[in-house]
Amino acid sequence: MTNLLTVLPDFDTQPYTHILPSLEKALISTADLLTLDALDVAKRAQVPPSEVKKLASAVLNGLHASTTLRELGLPTGNVPATEPGQYEAISTLDDVLDTALGGGVAIGKVTEFVGESAAGKTQFLLTLLLSAQLNPPHGVGKAALYISTEAPLQTTRLAQILDQHPKLAVLPPDERPTMARVQSAHIHDLEAQDHILRFQVPVMLQRHDVGLLVIDSIAANYRPEFDKGNAKRSAAESFVKRGNQVTDLGTLLRETAEKYGIAVVVANQVADRFAAFEPPPSQLQTSQQIQKQLSVSAPQNVPILSSTTPQGTSPDGAVTPPSLSTDDPLALDHQHRFFTGWGDDLQRTNLKTPSLGLAWTNQLAARVALVKVPIYEAKQYMAGEEPNIAGWKRTFKVVFSEWCPSSCSEFEISSGGVRSIAEQHENGL
Amino acid sequence: MATVIDITSSPQKLPPSSHRLPTVSASDALQELQTAGPETIATTLPALDTLLAGVGTNSIGGLGRGKTTEIWGPVGAGKTALLLQIAARELCRGSTVVWIDGSSPLVATRLDSAIEQRTSAMSGIAATQGEIVRYRNNLKHYRVPTLSHLLAMVLHSQPDFPPSGTTMVVIRGLNTLIDIDYPRILFASAGKSPQQKWQAGRRYAVLGSLIAGLNKLAVLNNVAIVATTGCASRTRSDSGLGSALVPGISGAEWDGGVWNRLVIFRDFHCRFVGVQKSQGRSLIGRQEIGETGKIVAFDVEHDGSVRQQGPSSSLPSEALRKSISRSPAKPRGRYIDEVADSEGEDADEYGWAETDEDALTADTGVDETTEQIATA
């Protein structure tokens, strides 16, 4: 059948080779076999019903045998169990950011780092490539595999972080991570991506005892593939097809993470988000308002065509009941403020949306948004003059996660990698 | 449970291969009804319990045992957080909870936190490590990697499933399992073979079989089944509004078979649970995509505990709910009719097909912006 060996990899198909091709041709899947009467299946595929019954009960036995009661929290795969209360993770080598992540990037899950270009995604990924090699609790004492889709692995920068990161520089030589334990590969296009991730990566994971798989970035190979539709397919069909591809990719990465007991970390790009309506001039960042606190005005959402405009009221805590901020709370434009990483702060206007849409978001166990906001020079600007950018405020935002609560922390990029701003203050720097 | 009458002890000898027919006398059944535990499982949010209670009953509301509840909503909204609180409450009362993960296994530390919070909420004192472990062991955790595994578990369940003492069965990530085996196919495409057309309708047929099987399992074992179904997006071109979130699973048979449907979503200052269907009756219109139904506000604290926001009385304020104003002038063209084997033609997730066009042609917006900056 179409997916029998995906569902039950160890199933012995030998006794059924005479009916399986007919079932395949009739597009009968394993789930169909379990929900349809044997007679219906037999009629559709034109095979003897008794054979179908035998196959169905063999499949059922196989499924029951493979779904056994699990010890909660232990990942499948040969990873040692940690102390109770600790979740296995790969550290970011910064205490504040690790706390925000509940220990670090979790093993057995797919985590996404999303942000604009030069937001700091690669810095985090490179750091993780090194920290994975450390012994628990900071790492898993294994090698790392880096798959690039655009630029190749930045070995110079990796060497610099290894050399200058405060936590790595103090380690004795036998405990230090090495460049040799970072394997890298390159994927050129979407077809190669599926093949490499499905077949070649598992081989590499076992051959090199890999504990971390990094894909930088996941969206790159999708861009040229997304055509607006041609004579054969409409745009909507192309879009549905891409949604299914993205779902398959997510499933593959989740299965890989769980089966081999590794952390999968993925980098993703953003696109600008265009609001349905232009916000009123008071919300645009003119030079006067950059220094002043912007007042919170009603959020502009989906066009409301009636006269009752929504007024966002902040709740008084225990005094008045909290109310919805908009008439249309389930609108995608409103809801994606809370799962993209941009838009849940009413003061920001330069909104971004991670690539690959809602279908991809549904595949992730965690999303970390690296939000970059310019800090303008505080001086008198002439009319029409562009404000000077004095620096960047970078925020490490845990948007959602299966294992830790959401949070925001400020960080900066240095020669030694990334570090949180709060920690810097503690050290008196 | 039902008592089995041993037929072979009756004067008439039946062949040994005949199946025993479990029957129960009417008086026994009434006895059991009067002595059995509550018929609902409390949701830990009093206002929500009230919304889920039947009209004119004096029973406390909540998730009905013997019924299936669907909880949907976007990622990170709080579905698992709420479910953990409900499950922890059951565990701390000595019941068994079956937790089936379809997309990603539950993190053990979250369960332990929830148990800790529940025990201190119920008894006022912190739980010991031994107590936490004991309650945690009452949670039977299964990881089903494919839809077929779930179907085997639920439709062809083994005799010892669910274990005795189970009051609640949680199935997390059901939409993920369905989407892998039966991905959405845009229905209106020509040139399909008869097999392909049949295959396209299988998604809804399997969902129909699944909900029937779940309801049967729930009734036979007197458990409350709760399934989480993620979210998807659907355009609302007929009412002039943009895309909205919809449950990750849809279909006439599935929607009809579910007893309660809750939506959990976030807002700027807190989270909300909307009751879209309760007591088997839909509280929102079929065509009203984006309606939340009556809502209850709550929040998830940093430690994972869930607290209701707003009035502590169990009556949800009607003022919280404003109905969505729709454009009256636009004639309602085609309904997105949900026939059992079809779905809305415009399966355009995220509405990209439209917004991309808009973005490319909207150069007027950009001009206005630069003008305003220049003149400020």
Side-chain angles (χ1 to χ4, degrees):
Chain A
M1 282 171 299
T2 48
N3 62 349
L4 181 55
L5 287 175
T6 319
V7 171
L8 284 173
D10 301 325
F11 189 76
D12 180 21
T13 55
Q14 192 55 30
Y16 308 102
T17 46
H18 55 295
I19 56 168
L20 284 174
S22 312
L23 290 171
E24 288 243 9
K25 208 163 145 219
L27 300 179
I28 306 230
S29 70
T30 317
D32 291 330
L33 193 66
L34 297 173
T35 48
L36 288 171
D37 194 38
L39 216 56
D40 291 332
V41 173
K43 215 164 52 170
R44 190 156 266 282
Q46 293 172 346
V47 292
S50 54
E51 297 298 299
V52 173
K53 282 201 182 121
K54 274 202 286 192
L55 175 61
S57 69
V59 165
L60 215 50
N61 287 338
L63 290 170
H64 280 136
S66 69
T67 318
T68 48
L69 210 50
R70 281 191 58 207
E71 196 58 54
L72 185 65
L74 287 181
T76 56
N78 42 352
V79 187
T82 54
E83 296 160 12
Q86 258 207 338
Y87 196 72
E88 277 192 294
I90 298 181
S91 161
T92 55
L93 297 182
D94 178 280
D95 291 336
V96 172
L97 298 180
D98 275 352
T99 311
L101 277 176
V105 167
I107 303 291
K109 307 278 184 190
V110 178
T111 307
E112 181 194 72
F113 280 80
V114 62
E116 305 170 64
S117 41
K121 303 189 290 290
T122 310
Q123 310 304 313
F124 277 99
L125 268 42
L126 294 177
T127 308
L128 291 171
L129 292 175
L130 298 172
S131 60
Q133 302 175 34
L134 300 172
N135 288 325
H138 291 294
V140 287
K142 295 187 176 187
L145 174 58
Y146 179 91
I147 296 187
S148 56
T149 55
E150 295 172 308
L153 175 64
Q154 293 177 25
T155 44
T156 327
R157 176 63 174 142
L158 188 63
Q160 189 185 35
I161 297 178
L162 179 55
D163 199 39
Q164 299 194 16
H165 194 289
K167 288 199 176 169
L168 297 177
V170 298
L171 289 175
D174 57 337
E175 283 178 41
R176 292 193 82 207
T178 63
M179 304 268 286
R181 290 195 88 191
V182 177
Q183 305 290 330
S184 80
H186 190 81
I187 297 182
H188 299 274
D189 59 53
L190 200 58
E191 275 171 20
Q193 179 170 302
D194 192 75
H195 180 86
I196 289 175
L197 291 177
R198 205 176 285 275
F199 302 112
Q200 298 185 7
V201 161
V203 172
M204 294 202 69
L205 294 180
Q206 288 171 319
R207 184 183 296 166
H208 298 281
D209 190 29
V210 170
L212 166 69
L213 169 65
V214 171
I215 304 179
D216 185 6
S217 63
I218 200 78
N221 283 327
Y222 281 96
R223 283 187 302 227
E225 306 288 330
F226 177 49
D227 55 331
K228 299 282 289 172
N230 49 29
K232 275 192 178 174
R233 304 197 295 260
S234 69
E237 267 191 55
S238 296
F239 198 81
V240 168
K241 182 168 172 237
R242 196 183 84 168
N244 293 332
Q245 282 176 334
V246 155
T247 308
D248 284 341
L249 173 65
T251 308
L252 176 61
L253 291 177
R254 262 203 314 276
E255 280 169 3
T256 308
E258 259 185 79
K259 185 169 165 197
Y260 299 100
I262 63 169
V264 174
V265 176
V266 155
N268 196 8
Q269 281 132 340
V270 296
D272 283 314
R273 185 186 300 169
F274 299 103
F277 269 161
E278 285 299 322
S282 61
Q283 277 196 341
L284 293 172
Q285 285 193 324
T286 58
S287 53
Q288 291 105 348
Q289 286 171 326
I290 289 158
Q291 285 91 30
K292 278 193 290 195
Q293 276 290 343
L294 287 170
S295 56
V296 176
S297 56
Q300 287 297 323
N301 294 307
V302 183
I304 304 295
L305 298 160
S306 75
S307 53
T308 58
T309 41
Q311 284 302 317
T313 51
S314 48
D316 277 315
V319 181
T320 52
S323 54
L324 291 171
S325 65
T326 162
D327 268 1
D328 198 9
L330 290 180
L332 185 58
D333 281 346
H334 175 72
Q335 278 301 313
H336 73 182
R337 293 168 179 273
F338 307 110
F339 58 73
T340 54
W342 283 264
D344 56 345
D345 179 357
L346 289 166
Q347 296 183 8
R348 299 272 166 262
T349 52
N350 198 7
L351 301 182
K352 309 283 180 194
T353 301
S355 303
L356 304 181
L358 184 59
W360 173 248
T361 303
N362 286 336
Q363 304 302 317
L364 299 169
R367 166 172 279 164
V368 173
L370 301 175
V371 183
K372 193 171 81 165
V373 170
I375 306 172
Y376 294 106
E377 228 177 285
K379 68 173 199 187
Q380 272 302 100
Y381 289 100
M382 308 248 289
E385 200 183 335
E386 284 286 326
N388 286 347
I389 295 179
W392 295 97
K393 180 177 163 197
R394 298 174 194 276
T395 314
F396 178 97
K397 190 164 162 182
V398 178
V399 182
F400 59 82
S401 163
E402 281 186 15
W403 66 87
C404 62
S406 324
S407 61
C408 273
S409 326
E410 250 188 82
F411 74 99
E412 62 177 7
I413 302 177
S414 66
S415 60
V418 290
R419 61 174 175 229
S420 58
I421 305 276
E423 194 177 81
Q424 193 192 16
H425 289 324
E426 274 170 29
N427 292 343
L429 291 166
Chain B
M1 282 307 298
T3 53
V4 176
I5 296 178
D6 192 356
I7 301 177
T8 55
S9 66
S10 65
Q12 261 185 321
K13 279 282 180 211
L14 289 164
S17 63
S18 78
H19 299 284
R20 297 184 186 187
L21 178 68
T23 62
V24 148
S25 69
S27 55
D28 284 343
L30 184 61
Q31 179 86 13
E32 207 182 286
L33 197 65
Q34 288 164 343
T35 54
E39 291 168 356
T40 59
I41 292 180
T43 61
T44 73
L45 298 176
L48 182 59
D49 285 339
T50 310
L51 281 177
L52 291 172
V55 178
T57 61
N58 24 353
S59 64
I60 310 162
L63 307 176
R65 287 173 72 165
K67 310 276 192 259
T68 306
T69 301
E70 180 186 352
I71 301 184
W72 69 275
V75 204
K79 306 184 288 295
T80 306
L82 183 61
L83 275 176
L84 277 171
Q85 292 293 309
I86 302 174
R89 189 176 171 281
E90 290 301 299
L91 294 172
C92 293
R93 296 165 83 237
S95 308
T96 302
V97 172
V98 170
W99 187 286
I100 303 174
D101 274 321
S103 62
S104 191
L106 179 67
V107 171
T109 47
R110 284 182 82 178
L111 175 65
D112 288 346
S113 291
I115 293 175
E116 254 180 282
Q117 282 141 29
R118 271 297 123 193
T119 45
S120 51
M122 278 161 63
S123 65
I125 46 173
T128 63
Q129 188 62 27
E131 275 184 314
I132 295 181
V133 170
R134 194 159 44 96
Y135 294 140
R136 189 216 286 164
N137 286 338
N138 281 339
L139 185 114
K140 307 301 176 193
H141 182 240
Y142 295 90
R143 171 84 177 93
V144 290
T146 70
L147 180 63
S148 304
H149 287 86
L150 181 68
L151 292 172
M153 232 178 144
V154 164
L155 295 186
H156 306 270
S157 57
Q158 294 188 294
D160 58 351
F161 180 83
S164 66
T166 305
T167 53
M168 183 162 124
V169 174
V170 173
I171 305 173
R172 224 171 120 239
L174 183 54
N175 60 318
T176 313
L177 293 177
I178 303 282
D179 284 343
I180 296 171
D181 265 31
Y182 298 102
R184 283 162 216 279
I185 303 170
L186 206 51
F187 201 63
S189 41
K192 280 194 169 177
S193 68
Q195 280 106 337
Q196 283 175 320
K197 287 200 179 118
W198 172 80
Q199 190 190 35
R202 282 305 295 157
R203 181 185 166 105
Y204 304 97
V206 168
L207 282 172
S209 306
L210 180 62
I211 189 65
L214 286 176
N215 284 332
K216 183 171 151 196
L217 190 75
V219 166
L220 285 181
N221 298 283
N222 197 27
V223 295
I225 297 188
V226 185
T228 69
T229 55
C231 72
S233 70
R234 179 113 29 117
T235 53
R236 294 178 293 181
S237 36
D238 57 336
S239 56
L241 301 169
S243 297
L245 295 184
V246 293
I249 291 180
S250 60
E253 285 185 62
W254 172 265
D255 290 340
V258 157
W259 187 248
N260 303 311
R261 182 181 306 111
L262 308 176
V263 54
I264 298 188
F265 59 98
R266 293 179 68 171
D267 205 342
F268 290 103
H269 302 290
C270 66
R271 302 160 194 258
F272 290 97
V273 184
V275 181
Q276 295 186 319
K277 184 175 183 184
S278 100
Q279 298 291 316
R281 275 189 355 263
S282 200
L283 301 176
I284 59 172
R286 217 36 185 346
Q287 305 309 325
E288 288 170 11
I289 300 168
E291 287 288 333
T292 61
K294 295 198 180 158
I295 53 176
V296 172
F298 74 102
D299 220 344
V300 179
E301 310 292 331
H302 213 254
D303 59 358
S305 61
V306 166
R307 288 202 207 300
Q308 183 173 313
Q309 303 288 313
S312 55
S313 72
S314 50
L315 291 171
S317 164
E318 273 303 316
L320 293 177
R321 182 78 208 108
K322 306 174 212 171
S323 58
I324 299 174
S325 317
R326 293 175 191 272
S327 164
K330 276 206 174 157
R332 285 285 185 108
R334 287 191 60 173
Y335 284 131
I336 304 174
D337 250 351
E338 284 188 291
V339 185
D341 58 348
S342 75
E343 200 176 31
E345 279 182 0
D346 241 326
D348 180 1
E349 284 202 55
Y350 208 70
W352 267 44
E354 279 111 342
T355 49
D356 255 4
E357 308 276 9
D358 294 344
L360 289 172
T361 54
D363 40 1
T364 48
V366 175
D367 288 344
E368 280 170 22
T369 318
T370 42
E371 265 178 47
Q372 280 155 350
I373 288 183
T375 54

